[in-house]
């Protein structure tokens, strides 16, 4: 598969083709995603929680994000990889934002960066995108500033919040983002925004009518012990029957596994990513059980 670029993403929106993306934070999972049909990989600062065991994303540093993202890049050379700017790496000034985004891009070889915030981050987004690094916006629930909003919660239940999300999306588009991710909003709000701006609008827990879907890979695999949000299905049981069938007739399993990696968890993770990609593209995900009403 050819590596996707930002023009492809815009074309996919214009042609009404949904985009699938998952988070990833290490080399081995990345190599399974590289062999899957998934479109995009996000090295989220959620890696601070699921890989490093922090209780939220606040402590994550630029150095940690570069280590995680470089590992993913090595495992997934053929995928478009987005590096997540951690808290404190961009808010202070446009200069600091460019400096850290440039470092991120050079040291980890990510294809784009993502940062949280709308209207208040316009200067930073402009500065980074004008320096030649594609920027993904992130609005709705923004975990890095969740302390200011009373913790992780669904955003957009009131008219004021809905208007703010729309204003944020329009401001980010004007500032030059290549796409916007909306997190944890009631079904319907994403679709309103996807119709109101030209850049692709993707969702994580933001309903069905957006241009693509992101989930935390660890949720699909059911391996994060602490919490799984309502909108994230575990897909392991969906792929296991095919996996077991595919290995049931292999005679020399040891030899087969050594040669193909297809005898174990690497293959299961690849199948889960493919299943997620299929469900997103067909519109099967998210169904009514996996959206906020
Ligand atoms: O860090 C991350 O994985 C993210 C998603 C939750 C959107 O930013």
């Amino acid at each position: 598969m050819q590596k996707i670029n930002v023009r492809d993403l815009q074309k996919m929106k214009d042609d009404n083709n949904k985009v699938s993306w998952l988070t990833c934070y290490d080399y081995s999972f990345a190599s399974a995603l590289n062999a899957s049909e998934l479109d995009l990989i996000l090295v989220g600062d959620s890696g601070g929680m699921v890989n490093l065991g922090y209780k939220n994303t606040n402590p994550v540093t630029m150095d940690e994000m570069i280590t995680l993202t470089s590992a993913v890049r090595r495992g997934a050379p053929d995928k478009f990889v987005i590096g997540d700017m951690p808290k404190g790496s961009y808010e202070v000034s446009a200069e600091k934002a460019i400096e850290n985004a440039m470092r991120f891009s050079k040291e980890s070889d990510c294809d784009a960066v993502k940062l949280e915030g709308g209207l208040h981050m316009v200067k930073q987004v402009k500065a980074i995108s004008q320096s030649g690094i594609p920027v993904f916006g992130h609005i709705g629930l923004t975990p890095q500033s969740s302390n200011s909003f009373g913790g992780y919660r669904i955003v957009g239940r009131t008219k004021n919040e809905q208007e703010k999300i729309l204003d944020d999306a329009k401001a980010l588009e004007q500032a030059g983002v290549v796409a916007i991710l909306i997190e944890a909003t009631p079904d319907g709000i994403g679709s309103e925004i996807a119709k109101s701006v030209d850049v692709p609008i993707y969702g994580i827990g933001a309903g069905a009518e957006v241009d693509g879907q992101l989930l935390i890979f660890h949720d699909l695999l059911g391996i994060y012990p602490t919490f799984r949000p309502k909108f994230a299905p575990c897909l392991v049981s969906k792929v296991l029957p095919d996996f077991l069938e595919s290995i049931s007739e292999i005679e020399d399993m040891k030899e087969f596994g050594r040669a193909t990696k297809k005898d174990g968890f690497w293959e299961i993770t690849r199948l889960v990513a493919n299943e997620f990609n299929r469900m997103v593209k067909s519109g099967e995900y998210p169904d009514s059980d996996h959206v906020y009403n």
Side-chain angles (χ1 to χ4, degrees):
M1 268 172 88
Q2 185 118 23
K3 184 166 153 183
I4 277 183
N5 63 46
V6 295
R7 272 180 295 123
D8 298 323
L9 295 178
Q10 188 62 53
K11 184 162 186 332
M12 286 166 89
K13 170 168 180 144
D14 298 342
D15 295 346
N16 221 358
N17 289 326
K18 304 264 184 195
V19 169
S20 61
W21 41 324
L22 288 171
T23 60
C24 186
Y25 321 98
D26 75 353
Y27 171 82
S28 297
F29 277 124
S31 74
L33 289 184
N34 198 55
S36 78
E37 286 154 18
L38 192 78
D39 294 318
L40 308 177
I41 296 177
L42 169 68
V43 187
D45 62 352
S46 52
M49 296 169 74
V50 301
N51 260 36
L52 305 177
Y54 298 141
K55 73 175 189 312
N56 56 41
T57 57
N58 290 347
V60 178
T61 65
M62 211 48 232
D63 285 347
E64 286 168 336
M65 286 310 301
I66 287 173
T67 301
L68 299 177
T69 308
S70 307
V72 169
R73 172 83 293 158
R74 288 189 284 273
D78 306 322
K79 294 291 177 190
F80 189 99
V81 171
I82 303 148
D84 205 7
M85 305 279 291
K87 187 179 175 89
S89 67
Y90 57 93
E91 300 90 330
V92 174
S93 66
E95 288 71 27
K96 182 144 191 200
I98 298 190
E99 211 174 279
N100 277 317
M102 199 53 82
R103 188 180 160 217
F104 212 170
S105 156
K106 287 170 78 81
E107 292 182 30
S108 76
D109 196 21
C110 58
D111 298 295
V113 298
K114 173 173 87 58
L115 57 83
E116 296 186 7
L119 273 163
H120 297 307
M121 291 302 150
V122 157
K123 264 197 296 193
Q124 285 83 339
V125 168
K126 246 190 207 155
I128 299 172
S129 56
Q130 284 174 359
S131 77
I133 299 171
V135 184
F136 283 58
H138 177 170
I139 56 178
L141 169 63
T142 45
Q144 291 172 11
S145 47
S146 60
N147 283 344
S148 310
F149 306 105
Y152 289 12
R153 65 172 181 83
I154 301 156
V155 182
R157 292 236 193 257
T158 64
K159 191 139 184 30
N160 271 353
E161 284 184 354
Q162 289 168 15
E163 282 170 4
K164 178 170 180 331
I165 297 172
L166 187 55
D167 290 347
D168 282 340
K170 287 182 174 164
L172 288 175
E173 177 170 56
Q174 285 289 316
V177 292
V178 294
I180 298 170
L181 176 70
I182 305 182
E183 179 167 356
T185 55
D187 197 17
I189 292 180
S191 71
E192 173 100 17
I193 295 168
K195 283 184 217 135
S196 309
V197 298
D198 291 331
V199 293
I201 298 293
Y202 305 128
I204 174 164
E209 305 287 320
V210 285
D211 303 312
Q213 299 286 340
L214 164 70
L215 282 178
I216 305 282
F217 199 16
H218 286 53
D219 289 335
L220 292 193
L221 298 171
I223 53 172
Y224 181 55
T226 309
F227 170 74
R228 183 173 345 137
K230 168 191 163 84
F231 54 79
C234 176
L235 296 183
V236 174
S237 60
K238 278 194 92 169
V239 307
L240 269 187
D242 279 352
F243 170 75
L244 293 173
E245 168 87 31
S246 76
I247 61 171
S248 63
E249 279 159 22
I250 309 293
E251 278 177 13
D252 186 347
M253 184 56 77
K254 246 172 147 181
E255 200 42 54
F256 174 77
R258 244 200 308 266
T260 67
K261 306 185 290 290
K262 291 197 170 176
D263 61 340
F265 196 61
W266 187 92
E267 176 63 358
I268 293 172
T269 56
R270 191 185 72 84
L271 292 173
V272 164
N274 275 349
E275 177 61 8
F276 175 65
N277 176 69
R278 185 196 68 71
M279 290 169 76
V280 169
K281 299 233 185 281
S282 67
E284 206 174 297
Y285 177 82
D287 59 12
S288 56
D289 286 342
H290 297 99
V291 296
Y292 295 118
N293 296 312

